[in-house]
Amino acid sequence: MKKLINNVEDVVAESLEGFLMANRRTHQQVAGVNGLVVNDINKKKVSVITGGGSGHEPVFIGLTGEGMADGAALGSVFASPDPHTILEVIKGANTDEGVLCLVINYAGDTMNFGVASELAELEGINVATALVTDDVASAPKGQEEERRGIAGLLLVTKVTGAAAQEGYTLTETKQVAEKANENIRSLSVALTPCSLPGSKANFTIEEDAYEFGMGIHGEPGIQKKKLQAADKIVEEMVTVIADDLELQEADEVVVLVNGTGATSLLELNIVHRQVGKLMENKGVVIYDSIIGSHCTSLEMAGVSISMLRLDAELKRLYNAPAYTPYFYKRGEQT
Amino acid sequence: MKKLINNVEDVVAESLEGFLMANRRTHQQVAGVNGLVVNDINKKKVSVITGGGSGHEPVFIGLTGEGMADGAALGSVFASPDPHTILEVIKGANTDEGVLCLVINYAGDTMNFGVASELAELEGINVATALVTDDVASAPKGQEEERRGIAGLLLVTKVTGAAAQEGYTLTETKQVAEKANENIRSLSVALTPCSLPGSKANFTIEEDAYEFGMGIHGEPGIQKKKLQAADKIVEEMVTVIADDLELQEADEVVVLVNGTGATSLLELNIVHRQVGKLMENKGVVIYDSIIGSHCTSLEMAGVSISMLRLDAELKRLYNAPAYTPYFYKRGEQT
Amino acid sequence: MKQLNIQETQNMLLFMAERLMASKELLCEIDGKVGDGDHGFGIERGFKAVKAMLEENTYATINELFKASGMTMLHSMGGASGVIFSQLFLGAAAIPEEEKLTSEILAQVMRKGLEKIKATGKAQLGDKTMIDALEPAVLELEQESSGSLEEATGKAMLAAENGVEKTKEYPAKFGRAKFVYERSIGVQDAGATTVFLMFEAMHTYISQQNE
Amino acid sequence: MKQLNIQETQNMLLFMAERLMASKELLCEIDGKVGDGDHGFGIERGFKAVKAMLEENTYATINELFKASGMTMLHSMGGASGVIFSQLFLGAAAIPEEEKLTSEILAQVMRKGLEKIKATGKAQLGDKTMIDALEPAVLELEQESSGSLEEATGKAMLAAENGVEKTKEYPAKFGRAKFVYERSIGVQDAGATTVFLMFEAMHTYISQQNE
Ligand SMILES: Nc1ncnc2c1ncn2[C@@H]1O[C@H](COP(=O)(O)OP(=O)(O)O)[C@@H](O)[C@H]1O
Ligand SMILES: Nc1ncnc2c1ncn2[C@@H]1O[C@H](COP(=O)(O)OP(=O)(O)O)[C@@H](O)[C@H]1O
Ligand SMILES: [Mg+2]
Ligand SMILES: [Mg+2]
Ligand SMILES: [Mg+2]
Ligand SMILES: [Mg+2]
């Protein structure tokens, strides 16, 4: 796969540079590493940071901004950032109230954030971590903590960022992230693979097949299936999600229909249409929907569906204003 | 190319339905056609509408919202909407001050909007049209009015929508659209072709080549070139744009780095980095930059670069608040 | 056969609609070489709508029949060819009311259609558009206007086919393909191909009636 | 050869760095079968940084040399293997200071590294990770700890190679590939392959010194 890049090794640093040139009014680099923080860190509130491998843009840079995350540590494509990078971002975002790390549950990410947190604590920083484990495909019910994190990170960051903004303590902020994580499920499918800059595609997906249960790193899914009409694929996905989340009539959810790269919005809207129909049949209320390519796997064609079940607290936090370069919420929804 | 669709013929209608299910608080369908308008049309200001073929999402639906366009008429994939569809959108958006149609300059679009405008006038509606002709690759200097319109439509809609919001008359709104169009240039390149739903790709682009001077419909570009590093490609593009726009030292521009579908934001940021460097070398001031996939050609991998030169009026209008489902501007930039 | 009554003419248009719908892939492929590859989809949309309309309605005059077909295309196809091809049928609005289709009437409808198309689209013979097939076909129709419909449509069909061949020689100056001016040389025009297929359908239908 | 001095050990690590950097594509390909295809890039990043560091510095003890290498990998690689592979070298922090590398010292460093890796990553033998190559290699080193470095690294290399083969039989329970549990059977583990390549590099370097 051809790409608009210069040198493979410089991809992340150059991309960050290009991003910051466009967003200098709101964002700044953390010196010496591939990381960034928002300008004017508010020392009186908990900072929320996130991070992980690159190649998922707008995640993670696009999660940073008012009412969302305060910083992000960026690894190489599909590789967690190293502990030094994470530590510097923690330091750059640190406040009197401490730093909460929102981490998607992949071995590389948890290990590197783990080492970085230890180092941060040695420097006297008050740091905590909340894991995102929204992908129902990646481990059976009962082993939720084994599951990997995918696009649901956007919604977890939304409510967690809002909680920090409202003045929640570090412990409370972590608790709300965990609560959001307990109430969110996602599932992802892919129609085409992707290729790392400088590599060929890892594997092929036949013209009449798709991969069910993808992570966000272009790994094969848990199962290969025969391609069907969008409505059928979506029905399978939604059934798994709704069952696992044990959705009940009158439950309220936020839906995220997320493109994984090469999926056109034309298609994402068609996916959302079917999600809406299925939820209506179940009597589940879609409080709000986000449709777009927020958490991608380079140029992979595919879609993930996430559902976050709301309670009063999560709804209030979801509704709070948020402004990042790739996501906004005006906070006036009624 | 596999796609997440049901029936080829239903793609646009189903996609619109899915979009509206997610955006019912702000948008509504125009009955009976593939068109939409914002809720609560303000009868005391000029309405701005736009439209064209589908497959360019978020354009055109994503251009509609507060401070931007008030409605959009949607054609089949890569085909202008028919006059009936356009007429209904004009009627749905009509106000005491009239309707301005922002149309990208393709034969199909101008002819269909032309017929629709005649029909609207017969019904006593005050309607005007402004063409967007930003693509420098499509006709030589001196024949600007022959050029086709591409991603620059986003920026033209931004300032035109703001003008209507400020209370400009229909004639004034049209004039400001024309002024923006005179001050904007774009150029697009593609690394891979795209395929219409239900078709194979129209043509191939070799692994070591890219197409220079693309429209937005997946047609071949004006020239095939040998693939190079991103910085080189961008330099060629920016040189053509800057020369044609006759950019001078101290000019202020808004830059739009637009992905055409499968291009990752990782790449778009790398493109923007080089645009920024080249402008700095020229002493041109980038007032603001927008980086994202706003005007796409289905799943085509490629990028377009647009530059809008600002004067005091255009800057004020650019800075006005705007909120669409896929673009926002808080209007507080200093 | 020297003339068709209204019902036969309607059947001929239905037959044409079927034929053109079946040419979708061919027309997309041709349009895809230098254009955006959707011509077949537009033609399919237009003729599908025409077919549905013709199956539901009857008409008092040839003019009404053609006009209804043209309006249906205009409001269902979209794209450049929606306006262009609908005007070919809307040419019937500019001639006196008729209840029979003869070679002469057909020639008149098509001549008026051609004029409207030229006025709207500004293209001329040699610009690599459907006009390169249509104009020579209309000339043949006019020359054969006192002859049988079979002969007239047969000659028009051949003239259109020849026109399609010629489009390969020209660079495009109108429509999507104009932007690839030089690269369009050697590639035939999609809309011209449609014109040929329309005349071929008419001729085939009429020939079958004669058997 | 029974021992290497600090400079020779440093040269051995440099040689290993070169070898592993050159294996980038192979390792990406293996990781791509059931993982995310980036293992080669991570290994290249880590060893490139190690190489740059070793070319710039000298060390007073074997421990310092290994620790510096491990810290460099930890802070340059990222990914799961950044933490995992750096700990292999950081094992040197847990043993007494040494100025020579013998089979016994090497066995101790690697044993401590293995323990750290197991403590951090929670994987065991048979879980289809780099441990499946590392643990048998460490056992060989320990058995040969009174013998020559050439013999010890040679046996460790063969044990690692054998471990790589065995990973094909297991489903993955750790790392990226665990999510394709069943589909991972039959595919060898990328990190285990790296372990083999590391021992192969050590053995090759030491053998060349003997000539
Ligand atoms: N100005 C024009 N005059 C006559 N015919 C035209 C003109 N522009 C385009 N066409 C015809 O329309 C055809 C393309 O139609 P189609 O692909 O359906 O529309 P679009 O160009 O909007 O994709 C061309 O092959 C050409 O024959
Ligand atoms: N928990 C673990 N314990 C030991 N080794 C592991 C563990 N998790 C992963 N690995 C090793 O790491 C390798 C993958 O490394 P790499 O591809 O660089 O990282 P990532 O999985 O983050 O993409 C696997 O092949 C495996 O050998
Ligand atoms: Mg990885
Ligand atoms: Mg078209
Ligand atoms: Mg076309
Ligand atoms: Mg990997």
Side-chain angles (χ1 to χ4, degrees), chain D residues 31 36-39 176:
Chain D
D31 187 33
D36 60 351
D38 66 346
H39 184 61
R176 291 266 193 277

Side-chain angles (χ1 to χ4, degrees), chain D residues 161-194:
Chain D
E161 188 169 27
N162 191 36
V164 172
E165 278 307 305
K166 284 218 176 126
T167 61
K168 292 186 188 166
E169 297 163 22
Y170 316 130
K173 292 186 200 134
F174 286 85
R176 291 266 193 277
K178 82 169 176 188
F179 302 113
V180 293
Y181 192 80
E182 279 170 17
R183 290 171 88 173
S184 69
I185 296 172
V187 178
Q188 81 192 56
D189 180 64
T193 310
T194 295

Side-chain angles (χ1 to χ4, degrees), chain D residues 37-86:
Chain D
D38 66 346
H39 184 61
F41 287 115
I43 289 295
E44 186 197 35
R45 260 195 318 276
F47 278 106
K48 195 170 175 180
V50 166
K51 179 168 181 275
M53 182 209 69
L54 294 178
E55 280 169 354
E56 288 290 307
N57 296 286
T58 53
Y59 302 89
T61 64
I62 293 288
N63 312 61
E64 290 303 320
L65 172 61
F66 277 110
K67 268 162 39 188
S69 301
M71 287 307 282
T72 299
M73 291 182 95
L74 180 64
H75 290 315
S76 63
M77 282 177 67
S81 54
V83 178
I84 297 286
F85 280 88
S86 60

Side-chain angles (χ1 to χ4, degrees), chain A residues 27-312:
Chain A
H27 290 71
Q28 61 187 270
Q29 179 150 17
V30 175
V33 297
N34 289 330
L36 80 176
V37 289
V38 298
N39 294 339
D40 312 315
I41 290 280
N42 178 352
K43 293 281 174 197
K44 298 279 157 242
K45 74 166 197 62
V46 169
S47 265
V48 176
I49 71 154
T50 185
S54 292
H56 311 301
E57 291 67 28
V59 159
F60 299 86
I61 46 170
L63 298 177
T64 59
E66 205 179 307
M68 298 278 287
D70 300 287
L74 311 177
S76 299
V77 176
F78 294 168
S80 163
D82 59 72
H84 174 66
T85 300
I86 299 168
L87 176 62
E88 292 303 308
V89 173
I90 291 174
K91 281 157 68 177
N94 190 24
T95 72
D96 302 343
E97 301 299 320
V99 178
L100 177 70
C101 304
L102 285 182
V103 181
I104 48 174
N105 191 33
Y106 288 93
D109 295 295
T110 54
M111 287 194 280
N112 284 284
F113 270 89
V115 175
S117 297
E118 283 172 27
L119 298 174
E121 276 161 13
L122 289 178
E123 300 201 22
I125 298 177
N126 203 1
V127 58
T129 297
L131 295 179
V132 176
T133 61
D134 56 323
D135 178 19
V136 280
S138 55
K141 212 170 162 61
Q143 298 173 32
E144 283 82 0
E145 71 292 343
E146 292 286 304
R147 291 177 175 168
R148 61 191 166 192
I150 57 174
L153 174 67
L154 172 68
L155 296 172
V156 176
T157 306
K158 173 70 195 74
V159 296
T160 308
Q165 194 71 43
E166 276 194 11
Y168 280 42
T169 64
L170 182 56
T171 309
E172 290 164 351
T173 309
K174 177 179 154 100
Q175 276 164 356
V176 97
E178 285 168 351
K179 182 188 189 178
N181 185 54
E182 276 160 29
N183 283 286
I184 194 166
R185 299 292 183 283
S186 304
L187 189 64
S188 181
V189 300
L191 272 56
T192 67
C194 61
S195 69
L196 286 122
S199 284
K200 288 173 304 184
N202 289 339
F203 60 102
T204 52
I205 309 179
E206 293 73 17
E207 262 310 298
D208 64 343
Y210 72 101
E211 292 274 337
F212 188 85
M214 302 292 295
I216 57 172
H217 303 89
E219 324 88 309
I222 58 163
Q223 216 183 328
K224 186 174 288 203
K225 295 195 172 203
K226 210 172 135 29
L227 197 63
Q228 303 178 78
D231 281 356
K232 288 277 173 206
I233 296 176
V234 172
E235 190 172 347
E236 281 188 41
M237 295 170 75
V238 167
T239 303
V240 174
I241 292 170
D243 285 357
D244 201 275
L245 196 51
E246 296 175 24
L247 276 184
Q248 308 292 321
E249 213 180 309
D251 275 355
E252 271 189 298
V253 294
V254 174
V255 167
L256 167 60
V257 172
N258 176 67
T260 60
T263 325
S264 67
L265 191 52
L266 201 63
E267 293 162 270
L268 298 182
N269 284 329
I270 291 174
V271 168
H272 181 260
R273 171 180 171 273
Q274 173 71 338
V275 174
K277 290 193 181 247
L278 295 168
M279 288 299 104
E280 204 183 312
N281 289 349
K282 276 189 178 298
V284 170
V285 179
I286 298 185
Y287 178 68
D288 197 22
S289 296
I290 302 168
I291 308 173
S293 294
H294 290 279
C295 181
T296 60
S297 302
L298 297 167
E299 75 285 353
M300 174 173 284
V303 65
S304 69
I305 299 172
S306 303
M307 294 203 194
L308 170 66
R309 179 177 27 224
L310 299 177
D311 63 7

